[in-house]
Amino acid sequence: MTTLWPHLPDTVATEIYDHVAGRTAAQLDHVWKHRHPAQIYTATGGTRADGRRVRELRDVIVSTARQHGFPNGGTKIAFDRELAPKLLAEMDLALAEASDRRLWNFLTLVVAPDVTAWRWAGSSNRERWICRDPTRHMFSRLWWHAYLFTDPSTGRIEGEVLDRLTEADLNQLFERRRIAGNRRVLRSLARAVLDVSDASRRPLIRDAAKRVLRRMAVIDFHALTDGEVEHEVARLVDEASRAVAAESP
Amino acid sequence: MPYLTADGTAVALGPWELETAADEWRGLGTYLPDWDYNTTLRIRRGARIDLATFAAQTRIAPGTPLRWSLSWRSVDTYVSGAMPPVPVDASDDRTLEAELRGEQVGGRIELYCRVVLGERHDGPVGAASDPGSILFEDRTTLTLVGEAARFPVAVIDFHAAGYDKDASFVVDVPEDLATPVHGGLLLLVNERDRALVGAIERRRVGRDADPLLQQLEEDTAVAVLRSAVERSDELRAEQADATVGAALRELGRQVHGGLKRLSALRSESPARFHTALVGEARRLGLGRQLS
């Protein structure tokens, strides 16, 4: 039985955002709530998270943030990496529920506006608060990172791979949704790219992703074994690496 | 390198079937209204390959290992999954089965049934060579959304939520037009309007339609149409199917003179604009009908 978390309608989310945008974590210290009068739930398909579950989730978010410097400066990337698997474990979401943007708006704007303001201090990017692209939102992107880097056969998150990827690397990988949607291909690509380069990976990921997408049009990666996927993706990354090196001045 | 593929004369697939009870099956169709996240779907279809025709069409040498592959991909999230591939054998006439767990799928999904090359093949020009090469593909789209989630209705405290306490409802159209249309449009109803809330509850349990609901339907359609007009500049042909943007664009196509006519009326005469919205909603079969 999955968990159904409250959702915040778009019109309400926009209104709250106008009140919280630009404020600091300290200014939003007492703003958080465990429920909102306009919150709604998906009609059926799981157990509704009550106020207690929402408070517990907030506790997880806040205690993780505190370990990384909240509400002052701190180590934001390390916070992201540590929170991602906790969100996956605590929230117990169905995939269709995780793709509902209103759920994530509830978390940033009602449950943890102070932590969001701390994590994105100095950023005016609205998408960190109001979910349009799930790969950009404060909490949605972390949940998806953890989910897509989980090996479904073992249930284990490849944390060591995730830790070594930069925010820019992750953005590049997750923007290619066909690649990101196939967890074996995504993890193989990330591993292969890390094997080839520890320096600036932007051109390498861009080139390798193009090659993988072209292959996905003619090769059914789901029909391959783990080893075959690994081998094929590593071959494409190797090709990409040589192509990028040849183009470099 | 491009390579040759097989067609429906080489591979015959039966219709998808859904298990409704222990070993009872019915046609799957394209839309499952009773689905929710707790539903596990067991589906199957018959499959047969005429290996001689297949080899002739693909130039794959007879006896080369082939695999059946059953996979699915969510149109909304792009997340995909698959059953373990099954080898094709010489007298291949089999039933392919898949299990789709509710927490892993949802919304609109595409089901792929494929025959792929099982191992490296060094054949003539035009023949596929790499393992996993797709030699035959069948795709079926299936919509998994419960009736209640298609256009959700939620009863809330309008005053506490910041809406006018004497209003009856508001249609929440997402800011992002790429939002999936199923569940993307939301009707929020004021809990103080007990008559309307009661009418909605009665309809949920299947009682007779109520004039209040007819009015709600009409007003909702007008609100959605108004939104389509107000955001017509953002509606573009490339918006993906089954998104709110695509639904608003399609709605605009169905109204007389399109959204352009309504946009012009909006700036010329608010009164005529409003009556045009009501008229278009009714001509779409929503709300009260004048005899």
PDB file of all heavy atoms in Angstrom, chain B residues 124-150:
ATOM      1  N   PRO B 124      24.165 -11.076 -44.158  1.00  0.00           N
ATOM      2  CA  PRO B 124      24.346 -10.305 -45.390  1.00  0.00           C
ATOM      3  C   PRO B 124      24.028  -8.821 -45.169  1.00  0.00           C
ATOM      4  O   PRO B 124      23.503  -8.436 -44.134  1.00  0.00           O
ATOM      5  CB  PRO B 124      23.332 -10.947 -46.340  1.00  0.00           C
ATOM      6  CG  PRO B 124      22.304 -11.540 -45.450  1.00  0.00           C
ATOM      7  CD  PRO B 124      23.002 -11.948 -44.190  1.00  0.00           C
ATOM      8  N   VAL B 125      24.331  -8.025 -46.177  1.00  0.00           N
ATOM      9  CA  VAL B 125      24.028  -6.599 -46.118  1.00  0.00           C
ATOM     10  C   VAL B 125      22.524  -6.427 -45.898  1.00  0.00           C
ATOM     11  O   VAL B 125      21.707  -7.135 -46.499  1.00  0.00           O
ATOM     12  CB  VAL B 125      24.441  -5.917 -47.453  1.00  0.00           C
ATOM     13  CG1 VAL B 125      23.996  -4.452 -47.464  1.00  0.00           C
ATOM     14  CG2 VAL B 125      25.941  -6.028 -47.636  1.00  0.00           C
ATOM     15  N   GLY B 126      22.166  -5.543 -45.013  1.00  0.00           N
ATOM     16  CA  GLY B 126      20.740  -5.293 -44.751  1.00  0.00           C
ATOM     17  C   GLY B 126      20.217  -6.062 -43.560  1.00  0.00           C
ATOM     18  O   GLY B 126      19.104  -5.802 -43.094  1.00  0.00           O
ATOM     19  N   ALA B 127      20.999  -7.006 -43.073  1.00  0.00           N
ATOM     20  CA  ALA B 127      20.548  -7.774 -41.898  1.00  0.00           C
ATOM     21  C   ALA B 127      21.094  -7.119 -40.632  1.00  0.00           C
ATOM     22  O   ALA B 127      22.217  -6.614 -40.616  1.00  0.00           O
ATOM     23  CB  ALA B 127      21.055  -9.210 -41.994  1.00  0.00           C
ATOM     24  N   ALA B 128      20.270  -7.120 -39.596  1.00  0.00           N
ATOM     25  CA  ALA B 128      20.717  -6.571 -38.309  1.00  0.00           C
ATOM     26  C   ALA B 128      21.872  -7.409 -37.774  1.00  0.00           C
ATOM     27  O   ALA B 128      21.957  -8.603 -38.049  1.00  0.00           O
ATOM     28  CB  ALA B 128      19.567  -6.586 -37.320  1.00  0.00           C
ATOM     29  N   SER B 129      22.741  -6.768 -37.000  1.00  0.00           N
ATOM     30  CA  SER B 129      23.888  -7.520 -36.491  1.00  0.00           C
ATOM     31  C   SER B 129      24.032  -7.465 -34.970  1.00  0.00           C
ATOM     32  O   SER B 129      24.618  -8.363 -34.381  1.00  0.00           O
ATOM     33  CB  SER B 129      25.172  -6.996 -37.147  1.00  0.00           C
ATOM     34  OG  SER B 129      25.280  -5.605 -36.922  1.00  0.00           O
ATOM     35  N   ASP B 130      23.501  -6.424 -34.317  1.00  0.00           N
ATOM     36  CA  ASP B 130      23.786  -6.249 -32.890  1.00  0.00           C
ATOM     37  C   ASP B 130      22.717  -6.888 -32.006  1.00  0.00           C
ATOM     38  O   ASP B 130      21.520  -6.800 -32.311  1.00  0.00           O
ATOM     39  CB  ASP B 130      23.869  -4.757 -32.554  1.00  0.00           C
ATOM     40  CG  ASP B 130      25.035  -4.104 -33.265  1.00  0.00           C
ATOM     41  OD1 ASP B 130      26.049  -4.795 -33.461  1.00  0.00           O
ATOM     42  OD2 ASP B 130      24.918  -2.921 -33.642  1.00  0.00           O
ATOM     43  N   PRO B 131      23.143  -7.467 -30.887  1.00  0.00           N
ATOM     44  CA  PRO B 131      22.153  -8.013 -29.953  1.00  0.00           C
ATOM     45  C   PRO B 131      21.173  -6.920 -29.513  1.00  0.00           C
ATOM     46  O   PRO B 131      21.581  -5.781 -29.293  1.00  0.00           O
ATOM     47  CB  PRO B 131      23.000  -8.457 -28.747  1.00  0.00           C
ATOM     48  CG  PRO B 131      24.392  -8.508 -29.229  1.00  0.00           C
ATOM     49  CD  PRO B 131      24.516  -7.603 -30.401  1.00  0.00           C
ATOM     50  N   GLY B 132      19.898  -7.283 -29.439  1.00  0.00           N
ATOM     51  CA  GLY B 132      18.882  -6.310 -29.033  1.00  0.00           C
ATOM     52  C   GLY B 132      18.284  -5.539 -30.197  1.00  0.00           C
ATOM     53  O   GLY B 132      17.338  -4.764 -30.002  1.00  0.00           O
ATOM     54  N   SER B 133      18.814  -5.750 -31.411  1.00  0.00           N
ATOM     55  CA  SER B 133      18.265  -5.027 -32.568  1.00  0.00           C
ATOM     56  C   SER B 133      16.776  -5.341 -32.706  1.00  0.00           C
ATOM     57  O   SER B 133      16.378  -6.507 -32.697  1.00  0.00           O
ATOM     58  CB  SER B 133      18.985  -5.445 -33.858  1.00  0.00           C
ATOM     59  OG  SER B 133      20.341  -5.084 -33.796  1.00  0.00           O
ATOM     60  N   ILE B 134      15.966  -4.300 -32.865  1.00  0.00           N
ATOM     61  CA  ILE B 134      14.502  -4.488 -32.916  1.00  0.00           C
ATOM     62  C   ILE B 134      14.120  -4.914 -34.331  1.00  0.00           C
ATOM     63  O   ILE B 134      14.241  -4.139 -35.286  1.00  0.00           O
ATOM     64  CB  ILE B 134      13.777  -3.182 -32.510  1.00  0.00           C
ATOM     65  CG1 ILE B 134      14.202  -2.778 -31.092  1.00  0.00           C
ATOM     66  CG2 ILE B 134      12.257  -3.370 -32.594  1.00  0.00           C
ATOM     67  CD1 ILE B 134      13.822  -1.352 -30.715  1.00  0.00           C
ATOM     68  N   LEU B 135      13.636  -6.133 -34.446  1.00  0.00           N
ATOM     69  CA  LEU B 135      13.300  -6.676 -35.761  1.00  0.00           C
ATOM     70  C   LEU B 135      11.807  -6.616 -36.034  1.00  0.00           C
ATOM     71  O   LEU B 135      11.363  -6.664 -37.178  1.00  0.00           O
ATOM     72  CB  LEU B 135      13.774  -8.134 -35.843  1.00  0.00           C
ATOM     73  CG  LEU B 135      15.276  -8.304 -35.649  1.00  0.00           C
ATOM     74  CD1 LEU B 135      15.633  -9.768 -35.464  1.00  0.00           C
ATOM     75  CD2 LEU B 135      16.034  -7.709 -36.832  1.00  0.00           C
ATOM     76  N   PHE B 136      11.030  -6.548 -34.968  1.00  0.00           N
ATOM     77  CA  PHE B 136       9.577  -6.395 -35.108  1.00  0.00           C
ATOM     78  C   PHE B 136       9.089  -5.666 -33.866  1.00  0.00           C
ATOM     79  O   PHE B 136       9.585  -5.908 -32.758  1.00  0.00           O
ATOM     80  CB  PHE B 136       8.885  -7.759 -35.194  1.00  0.00           C
ATOM     81  CG  PHE B 136       7.378  -7.653 -35.121  1.00  0.00           C
ATOM     82  CD1 PHE B 136       6.632  -7.370 -36.256  1.00  0.00           C
ATOM     83  CD2 PHE B 136       6.713  -7.795 -33.908  1.00  0.00           C
ATOM     84  CE1 PHE B 136       5.254  -7.242 -36.178  1.00  0.00           C
ATOM     85  CE2 PHE B 136       5.343  -7.670 -33.824  1.00  0.00           C
ATOM     86  CZ  PHE B 136       4.602  -7.389 -34.969  1.00  0.00           C
ATOM     87  N   GLU B 137       8.115  -4.759 -34.063  1.00  0.00           N
ATOM     88  CA  GLU B 137       7.599  -4.027 -32.896  1.00  0.00           C
ATOM     89  C   GLU B 137       6.098  -3.788 -33.033  1.00  0.00           C
ATOM     90  O   GLU B 137       5.606  -3.446 -34.103  1.00  0.00           O
ATOM     91  CB  GLU B 137       8.299  -2.667 -32.767  1.00  0.00           C
ATOM     92  CG  GLU B 137       7.728  -1.805 -31.643  1.00  0.00           C
ATOM     93  CD  GLU B 137       8.459  -0.474 -31.513  1.00  0.00           C
ATOM     94  OE1 GLU B 137       9.599  -0.479 -31.020  1.00  0.00           O
ATOM     95  OE2 GLU B 137       7.891   0.551 -31.926  1.00  0.00           O
ATOM     96  N   ASP B 138       5.400  -3.996 -31.944  1.00  0.00           N
ATOM     97  CA  ASP B 138       3.981  -3.651 -31.860  1.00  0.00           C
ATOM     98  C   ASP B 138       3.818  -2.759 -30.626  1.00  0.00           C
ATOM     99  O   ASP B 138       4.346  -3.092 -29.556  1.00  0.00           O
ATOM    100  CB  ASP B 138       3.136  -4.918 -31.705  1.00  0.00           C
ATOM    101  CG  ASP B 138       1.669  -4.582 -31.458  1.00  0.00           C
ATOM    102  OD1 ASP B 138       0.950  -4.398 -32.452  1.00  0.00           O
ATOM    103  OD2 ASP B 138       1.274  -4.493 -30.280  1.00  0.00           O
ATOM    104  N   ARG B 139       3.112  -1.655 -30.786  1.00  0.00           N
ATOM    105  CA  ARG B 139       2.937  -0.739 -29.658  1.00  0.00           C
ATOM    106  C   ARG B 139       1.457  -0.518 -29.398  1.00  0.00           C
ATOM    107  O   ARG B 139       0.680  -0.301 -30.335  1.00  0.00           O
ATOM    108  CB  ARG B 139       3.603   0.598 -29.971  1.00  0.00           C
ATOM    109  CG  ARG B 139       3.527   1.571 -28.798  1.00  0.00           C
ATOM    110  CD  ARG B 139       4.274   2.838 -29.102  1.00  0.00           C
ATOM    111  NE  ARG B 139       3.671   3.547 -30.224  1.00  0.00           N
ATOM    112  CZ  ARG B 139       4.081   4.724 -30.672  1.00  0.00           C
ATOM    113  NH1 ARG B 139       5.118   5.310 -30.131  1.00  0.00           N
ATOM    114  NH2 ARG B 139       3.467   5.310 -31.674  1.00  0.00           N
ATOM    115  N   THR B 140       1.062  -0.592 -28.129  1.00  0.00           N
ATOM    116  CA  THR B 140      -0.322  -0.352 -27.729  1.00  0.00           C
ATOM    117  C   THR B 140      -0.322   0.704 -26.627  1.00  0.00           C
ATOM    118  O   THR B 140       0.500   0.628 -25.714  1.00  0.00           O
ATOM    119  CB  THR B 140      -0.935  -1.655 -27.137  1.00  0.00           C
ATOM    120  OG1 THR B 140      -0.778  -2.701 -28.084  1.00  0.00           O
ATOM    121  CG2 THR B 140      -2.409  -1.474 -26.815  1.00  0.00           C
ATOM    122  N   THR B 141      -1.234   1.657 -26.725  1.00  0.00           N
ATOM    123  CA  THR B 141      -1.319   2.665 -25.667  1.00  0.00           C
ATOM    124  C   THR B 141      -2.467   2.325 -24.736  1.00  0.00           C
ATOM    125  O   THR B 141      -3.556   1.960 -25.177  1.00  0.00           O
ATOM    126  CB  THR B 141      -1.530   4.068 -26.274  1.00  0.00           C
ATOM    127  OG1 THR B 141      -0.445   4.332 -27.155  1.00  0.00           O
ATOM    128  CG2 THR B 141      -1.563   5.141 -25.196  1.00  0.00           C
ATOM    129  N   LEU B 142      -2.196   2.439 -23.445  1.00  0.00           N
ATOM    130  CA  LEU B 142      -3.181   2.090 -22.433  1.00  0.00           C
ATOM    131  C   LEU B 142      -3.260   3.233 -21.419  1.00  0.00           C
ATOM    132  O   LEU B 142      -2.228   3.737 -20.976  1.00  0.00           O
ATOM    133  CB  LEU B 142      -2.728   0.804 -21.740  1.00  0.00           C
ATOM    134  CG  LEU B 142      -3.563   0.263 -20.594  1.00  0.00           C
ATOM    135  CD1 LEU B 142      -4.939  -0.162 -21.092  1.00  0.00           C
ATOM    136  CD2 LEU B 142      -2.854  -0.937 -19.952  1.00  0.00           C
ATOM    137  N   THR B 143      -4.474   3.641 -21.087  1.00  0.00           N
ATOM    138  CA  THR B 143      -4.637   4.706 -20.104  1.00  0.00           C
ATOM    139  C   THR B 143      -5.107   4.106 -18.791  1.00  0.00           C
ATOM    140  O   THR B 143      -6.147   3.454 -18.735  1.00  0.00           O
ATOM    141  CB  THR B 143      -5.644   5.765 -20.607  1.00  0.00           C
ATOM    142  OG1 THR B 143      -5.151   6.277 -21.845  1.00  0.00           O
ATOM    143  CG2 THR B 143      -5.774   6.909 -19.620  1.00  0.00           C
ATOM    144  N   LEU B 144      -4.306   4.346 -17.747  1.00  0.00           N
ATOM    145  CA  LEU B 144      -4.599   3.792 -16.423  1.00  0.00           C
ATOM    146  C   LEU B 144      -4.925   4.944 -15.476  1.00  0.00           C
ATOM    147  O   LEU B 144      -4.044   5.475 -14.821  1.00  0.00           O
ATOM    148  CB  LEU B 144      -3.375   3.057 -15.878  1.00  0.00           C
ATOM    149  CG  LEU B 144      -2.818   1.911 -16.698  1.00  0.00           C
ATOM    150  CD1 LEU B 144      -1.501   1.436 -16.113  1.00  0.00           C
ATOM    151  CD2 LEU B 144      -3.813   0.770 -16.715  1.00  0.00           C
ATOM    152  N   VAL B 145      -6.151   5.338 -15.449  1.00  0.00           N
ATOM    153  CA  VAL B 145      -6.529   6.416 -14.541  1.00  0.00           C
ATOM    154  C   VAL B 145      -7.923   6.137 -14.040  1.00  0.00           C
ATOM    155  O   VAL B 145      -8.845   5.913 -14.819  1.00  0.00           O
ATOM    156  CB  VAL B 145      -6.531   7.787 -15.252  1.00  0.00           C
ATOM    157  CG1 VAL B 145      -6.868   8.894 -14.269  1.00  0.00           C
ATOM    158  CG2 VAL B 145      -5.182   8.071 -15.857  1.00  0.00           C
ATOM    159  N   GLY B 146      -8.069   6.145 -12.726  1.00  0.00           N
ATOM    160  CA  GLY B 146      -9.391   5.961 -12.148  1.00  0.00           C
ATOM    161  C   GLY B 146     -10.306   7.106 -12.539  1.00  0.00           C
ATOM    162  O   GLY B 146      -9.852   8.214 -12.813  1.00  0.00           O
ATOM    163  N   GLU B 147     -11.583   6.830 -12.590  1.00  0.00           N
ATOM    164  CA  GLU B 147     -12.587   7.834 -12.958  1.00  0.00           C
ATOM    165  C   GLU B 147     -12.427   9.076 -12.088  1.00  0.00           C
ATOM    166  O   GLU B 147     -12.471  10.208 -12.556  1.00  0.00           O
ATOM    167  CB  GLU B 147     -13.970   7.211 -12.766  1.00  0.00           C
ATOM    168  CG  GLU B 147     -15.074   7.796 -13.598  1.00  0.00           C
ATOM    169  CD  GLU B 147     -14.813   7.683 -15.098  1.00  0.00           C
ATOM    170  OE1 GLU B 147     -14.788   6.560 -15.639  1.00  0.00           O
ATOM    171  OE2 GLU B 147     -14.637   8.734 -15.707  1.00  0.00           O
ATOM    172  N   ALA B 148     -12.215   8.846 -10.769  1.00  0.00           N
ATOM    173  CA  ALA B 148     -12.141   9.971  -9.841  1.00  0.00           C
ATOM    174  C   ALA B 148     -10.909  10.826 -10.089  1.00  0.00           C
ATOM    175  O   ALA B 148     -10.890  12.000  -9.755  1.00  0.00           O
ATOM    176  CB  ALA B 148     -12.115   9.450  -8.406  1.00  0.00           C
ATOM    177  N   ALA B 149      -9.881  10.228 -10.649  1.00  0.00           N
ATOM    178  CA  ALA B 149      -8.646  10.978 -10.842  1.00  0.00           C
ATOM    179  C   ALA B 149      -8.602  11.684 -12.190  1.00  0.00           C
ATOM    180  O   ALA B 149      -7.728  12.490 -12.443  1.00  0.00           O
ATOM    181  CB  ALA B 149      -7.455  10.038 -10.720  1.00  0.00           C
ATOM    182  N   ARG B 150      -9.568  11.397 -13.079  1.00  0.00           N
ATOM    183  CA  ARG B 150      -9.516  11.996 -14.407  1.00  0.00           C
ATOM    184  C   ARG B 150      -9.704  13.507 -14.343  1.00  0.00           C
ATOM    185  O   ARG B 150      -9.013  14.286 -14.946  1.00  0.00           O
ATOM    186  CB  ARG B 150     -10.576  11.368 -15.301  1.00  0.00           C
ATOM    187  CG  ARG B 150      -9.970  10.299 -16.161  1.00  0.00           C
ATOM    188  CD  ARG B 150     -10.773   9.957 -17.342  1.00  0.00           C
ATOM    189  NE  ARG B 150     -12.194   9.893 -17.120  1.00  0.00           N
ATOM    190  CZ  ARG B 150     -13.079   9.931 -18.096  1.00  0.00           C
ATOM    191  NH1 ARG B 150     -12.679  10.033 -19.326  1.00  0.00           N
ATOM    192  NH2 ARG B 150     -14.359   9.851 -17.838  1.00  0.00           N
TER     193      ARG B 150
END
